[in-house]
Amino acid sequence: MRLAYLYSIVAKSQNPIKTPFPRHVSLAVSALPIMADSEESLRRTLAEKQAALDAQAEAVRALKARPASASAEIDAAVESLKAFKVEAAAAARRLQAAVSRNGDGSTAGSREAFRQAVVNTLERRLFYIPSFKIYRGVAGLYDYGPPGCAVKSNVLAFWRQHFVLEENMLEVDCPCVTPEIVLKASGHVDKFTDLMVKDEKTGTCYRADHLLKDYCKAKLEKDLTLSAEKAAELKHILAVLDDLSADETSIGPSGLSPGYMRPETAQGIFVNFKDLYYYNGNRLPFAAAQIGQAFRNEISPRQGLLRVREFTLAEIEHFVDPEDKTHPKFVDVSNLEFLMFPRKEQMAGESAKPMILGEAVTKGIVNNETLGYFIGRVYLFLACLGIDKEIECSYGWIECVGIADRSAYDLRAHSEKSGVALVAHEKFSESREVEKLVIVPSKKELGLAFKGNQKLVVEALEAMSEKEALKMRASLESKGEVDFHVCTLGKAVVITKNMVSISIEKKKEHQRVFTPSVIEPSFGIGRIIYCLFEHSFYIRPSKSEDEQLNVFRFPPLVAPIKCTVFPLIKTQKFDDVAKIIARSLTAAGISHIIDITGTSIGKRYARTDEIGVPFAITVDSTSSVTIRERDSKEQIRVSIDEVAKVVKEVTDGQSTWADILWRYPAHAASLADEE
C-alpha cells in the first residue's frame, strides 16, 4: 500500500457552515482579541490628528509658494505644523502600545522573551529537542528526552486513571496506517483538507489560513494608518477565518493517495463498534478509548510542539442513545464555572464569557448533559495536571482538547460504505405498534428523468425527514409535481407523482434499531504538555541576587522525577544512608535521583528545581533526614524509615504538603543550603 499524509484535519468549534460534526465545542478554542473601544477611539484620534497635520502641511506649502507671504506668517504656520506633528506622534505611540499589548497586559516582546526562556531551558535540560539534530533536524519533528518522556508518561497514566478507569472504558490499539476507503467514508479525504499556497519565486509552501492570519495580524499591529473600520474588518476576518471555504480563498490542494498515515485515532474505534458493542454485552452507553500516534502533513510547521507532523492523540468515543443524552454523573460537574465562547459571540466578534456549566446545558449552549459532563471532566483533568484555568500560552489561545457531539455521522457513513450495520438495539418488554414513514423512490422513472444524477436524487429522497416527506406527498397529490432541492446537486429538480411513493404504515415492533450518537473528547497530548511547561515555569533570584534560577512547578502527579537524594557532605556514612533511602524509594515505585557528588547543596537544589523535582531529601545524619519542598523551600525532618512512605503519600495525592507540615517538625535550613 502506498502511504501519504492527509493534510491537517480539525473539526472546528461550533462551525456555522455544514460539517459532519455539527455540535463541537472546544475547552480552549482559538479566541481572537476583540477591538476594544479604547483601540477604536485611538485609531479615530490618530486619523483626525493625521488629517489635521496633512492640512497644515498643505497650508505651509501654499504660504511658501506665495511671493508676498510674510516670514512671520510662515514661521507661525511652521510652528503650528510642528505642534500637529507632536500630537500625531503621541497618538501613534498610544495606538502602538494598545495594539501591541496582549489580553493579560503583556507585550508581544515580553511574551517572546518568556517563551525563549522556557524553550531554552527545555532543550538544555533535554525535555525535548529537534529530531535528527546532527543532520540539522526536520521541521515539525521532535524527540522527547528523559524528563520529557517521564512527563508524557505521567500525563498519559493520569489520563487513563481519570477517564478509562473512572468510566470503565474499553481501550483499543489500532494501526496508524489507514486504507483510503475508511477515510473516504469518514469524510476526511473529501472535506477536511487544508488549503495551501506556493510562493512562485522561492517554491516555499504555506497554509493559506496561516498566511492570511499572519497578514491580518501584521497589518493590525504595524499599520497605524488603518482606519477603525478597516481594522474592524481585519479582526472580523480573523474571527471567521476557520469558516472560509475554498471558493472564498480561491486556492485548491493537490490530489491524495489511496493509503494514509491516520490523521486521528477515532476511525479505528468506529470501524470496531460492532465487536465492542458485543463485548460490552450489547449495552449502551459505553465508551472506547485509544492512545496513539497521528500524523498531519503540516505545510510549514512552526510553534514547536504545538504544530508538528507526528504527535500523540488520546481520544474517547462515548456511544450513547441519540434520544437520551442525559448523564447520571452530570450533577458532579454542573457547578463548574469557566470561560465559554459560544457560536453567537464568535461570529459577532465578541469575547468569551464566564458561565456555569449547568446553565450552559440548560440554555442549549452546550447541547446535552453527556457533552457537558465530559467538558467538566476534561476541565478537572487539566487542572489536576497543573494547567491554568485558561489554556493560553505565549503563542496565544491554544486548542488542546476538542469535545464534540459527532452525532451518528461516523457510524452511518461506515455502515453505508462497508455494508455492515453499525447499530444498537433496544428490546421492548412488549411489542409496540408504531407508525413508520416509508419512502420508495421509483428508480426506473428517476433514471429516465435524471440519468447520471439518479443516485443523488434517490439518496436525497430517502434522506427526507417525516415532515418534509409528508409535505411532498400533499403537494404531489394536489398538484402532481413538486420542486425538490437536492443539496448534492446544488439545485432544485421537479419530482412527479410517479417518481416516488410516500406512505405511513403501522407495524408491530419487538425492538428498536438505531445508530448511536458519539460524544468525542480528543486530546492533543503534545499541546497539553507544552502548555504545562509554560504554565509551570517561573524564575526566582538566587541568594546572591546576581543570578536568576529557572524552576518548573510541576505537581508531583506529573513531575518527571519525584524526589532527589543528596548527602549533605561527601562522607561514606552519608553515602551509605543515601543508598539505603534510594532502595526504599525504588521499592515504593518512586522515581528519584541520587547525587553523591561533592557539589554544594544549594547548587544541587537549583539543578533539580530546574527540571521540576518537587522534593529533595538531604542526608545530614544517620538516623533522620530533611525533606525540602521545591516552591516554598520549606523543610521537615523525618526518620530514615519513614522517608519513602512520606514521599509516596504526597506524590500519590493521598496528602498535601500542608498535611505533612502539620504532622512533622519543621526544619530551619541554613542560608548556605540555598544558592
Side-chain angles (χ1 to χ4, degrees), residues 352-505:
K353 58 185 180 182
M355 188 173 293
I356 300 295
L357 187 55
E359 178 188 348
V361 171
T362 300
K363 291 182 175 179
I365 294 170
V366 174
N367 188 260
N368 56 74
E369 283 189 2
T370 300
L371 187 63
Y373 175 71
F374 279 106
I375 291 174
R377 289 290 293 166
V378 168
Y379 175 83
L380 294 174
F381 167 75
L382 295 171
C384 288
L385 289 183
I387 297 288
D388 293 346
K389 289 185 177 180
E390 301 163 31
I391 309 185
E392 186 182 14
C393 70
S394 63
Y395 290 105
W397 295 96
I398 302 301
E399 184 177 14
C400 292
V401 184
I403 308 168
D405 183 337
R406 296 177 71 134
S407 66
Y409 172 83
D410 297 276
L411 293 181
R412 282 178 179 160
H414 288 302
S415 293
E416 181 180 341
K417 199 75 171 179
S418 67
V420 176
L422 302 178
V423 295
H425 303 81
E426 179 192 4
K427 292 186 177 180
F428 303 145
S429 55
E430 296 180 1
S431 62
R432 300 179 184 178
E433 187 173 81
V434 296
E435 290 186 342
K436 300 206 72 173
L437 174 69
V438 180
I439 301 174
V440 183
S442 172
K443 295 183 179 180
K444 178 182 177 181
E445 296 295 332
L446 291 168
L448 290 172
F450 302 112
K451 298 182 172 54
N453 292 327
Q454 178 214 46
K455 182 181 178 184
L456 296 178
V457 178
V458 168
E459 289 175 348
L461 288 169
E462 291 177 338
M464 284 191 297
S465 67
E466 182 173 332
K467 182 178 179 181
E468 292 172 322
L470 293 178
K471 184 178 179 181
M472 176 181 281
R473 184 176 70 170
S475 295
L476 291 174
E477 289 175 352
S478 62
K479 301 176 183 178
E481 64 179 38
V482 65
D483 289 339
F484 178 57
H485 185 76
V486 180
C487 293
T488 48
L489 286 178
K491 63 179 182 180
V493 299
V494 177
I495 300 296
T496 58
K497 194 171 183 179
N498 62 336
M499 291 181 181
V500 63
S501 167
I502 301 171
S503 61
I504 297 291
E505 297 181 3

Side-chain angles (χ1 to χ4, degrees), residues 10-19 21-25 192 240 242-244 343 346-347:
V10 181
K12 292 297 181 184
S13 65
Q14 297 202 13
N15 197 334
I17 63 174
K18 293 182 178 179
T19 73
F21 316 136
R23 291 183 295 277
H24 179 284
V25 298
F192 291 90
V240 301
D242 291 335
D243 298 329
L244 296 183
R343 178 191 306 174
Q346 290 187 46
M347 300 310 298

Side-chain angles (χ1 to χ4, degrees), residues 254-273:
S254 60
L256 300 171
S257 301
Y260 304 97
M261 304 301 289
R262 64 185 178 190
E264 63 177 21
T265 64
Q267 300 307 318
I269 297 175
F270 294 137
V271 298
N272 283 311
F273 170 78

